[in-house]
Amino acid sequence: QYYGANAQQQNIFTELDRVSTAQAAALPHADSQNQKHPSSDSTKETAFRDIAALQEMNSDCIVWLTIADTTISYPLMQRKYKQDYYLSVDFNREPSAHGVPYLDNRCNLDSDILIVYGHQMNDGSMFSELHNYKNKEYTIDHSVITLETENGISQYAVYAVMLVPGTYAKGEMSVYQSAEYQQESDFSSLIRYI
């Protein structure tokens, strides 16, 4: 039953990828000479997916997340008033053990820190490939994370990789709390911690 659910979830993601890229094929694209190279800052270029088409199917879809040369290529959801909603439902809002990756509701796409949640499944699906970032060569070869929005593409360079616990004791530095940092000194402390 679990593996059948995994195949069904992968079929949903494959169909969403097909629909969004087929719809985008009709959209005007930027001249390839204007494309920017990834850096530590996000860069903008024209999207290859029609995010608006996905938003017509589910208004909680805010972006498509991809890491090139991996299987990580998913819609990214955000439900402002129910943080963990997509932990156990699929894109169509049907029950699913795999869920759909989602952005922390304290973040927005203009935030300095984006916290993304998603499952790492024992069958190697979803975010399981992130474990490969323990290998320095893998990290170098897969150092760009791409977010496609209805406004274009942003690319981010991987700065650091951390394995973090799901919970923290009171007073411990928490990466999850970083979304709430308001002052430059808080952000600087986080960077030093990383």
Side-chain angles (χ1 to χ4, degrees):
Q1 182 181 14
Y2 168 80
Y3 291 103
N6 177 36
Q8 180 180 8
Q9 185 70 8
Q10 289 305 316
N11 288 340
I12 290 171
F13 290 136
T14 299
E15 179 62 12
L16 291 170
D17 186 44
R18 186 195 66 73
V19 166
S20 64
T21 54
Q23 294 288 332
L27 297 175
H29 289 287
D31 182 345
S32 60
Q33 294 176 354
N34 292 332
Q35 302 219 349
K36 298 182 179 162
H37 299 283
S39 67
S40 59
D41 298 323
S42 67
T43 59
K44 295 281 188 188
E45 57 186 58
T46 304
F48 295 105
R49 286 186 176 76
D50 185 357
I51 303 304
L54 295 174
Q55 290 173 334
E56 287 179 20
M57 300 167 68
N58 184 328
S59 60
D60 292 338
C61 180
I62 58 170
V63 70
W64 193 277
L65 181 145
T66 306
I67 301 176
D69 300 321
T70 72
T71 60
I72 297 173
S73 181
Y74 301 115
L76 188 61
M77 315 301 280
Q78 188 175 53
R79 195 168 187 111
K80 281 289 190 185
Y81 302 105
K82 193 165 185 186
Q83 170 72 357
D84 297 330
Y85 180 76
Y86 285 99
L87 193 61
S88 57
V89 299
D90 66 19
F91 185 89
N92 299 316
R93 298 183 176 114
E94 298 293 330
S96 168
H98 289 76
V100 184
Y102 59 95
L103 185 66
D104 188 297
N105 63 14
R106 296 168 297 171
C107 302
N108 64 57
L109 294 176
D110 295 323
S111 299
D112 289 330
I113 298 172
L114 301 176
I115 299 176
V116 176
Y117 298 96
H119 293 293
Q120 72 88 36
M121 306 302 281
N122 291 332
D123 64 5
S125 65
M126 301 302 292
F127 282 146
S128 294
E129 281 186 87
L130 293 179
H131 286 282
N132 295 332
Y133 280 92
K134 294 182 220 174
N135 176 302
K136 184 178 180 179
E137 292 300 316
Y138 183 91
T139 301
I140 291 168
D141 291 342
H142 302 87
S143 63
V144 178
I145 298 172
T146 302
L147 300 181
E148 294 183 55
T149 70
E150 61 186 333
N151 297 322
I153 293 177
S154 295
Q155 294 184 313
Y156 299 85
V158 175
Y159 171 76
V161 177
M162 297 173 51
L163 290 174
V164 296
T167 59
Y168 290 84
K170 187 174 181 169
E172 282 186 302
M173 170 70 89
S174 167
V175 173
Y176 302 109
Q177 293 169 341
S178 65
E180 299 169 0
Y181 292 168
Q182 300 294 318
Q183 297 178 359
E184 184 70 29
S185 61
D186 291 333
F187 185 74
S188 295
S189 294
L190 174 66
I191 297 303
R192 281 192 303 280
Y193 174 75
I194 292 173

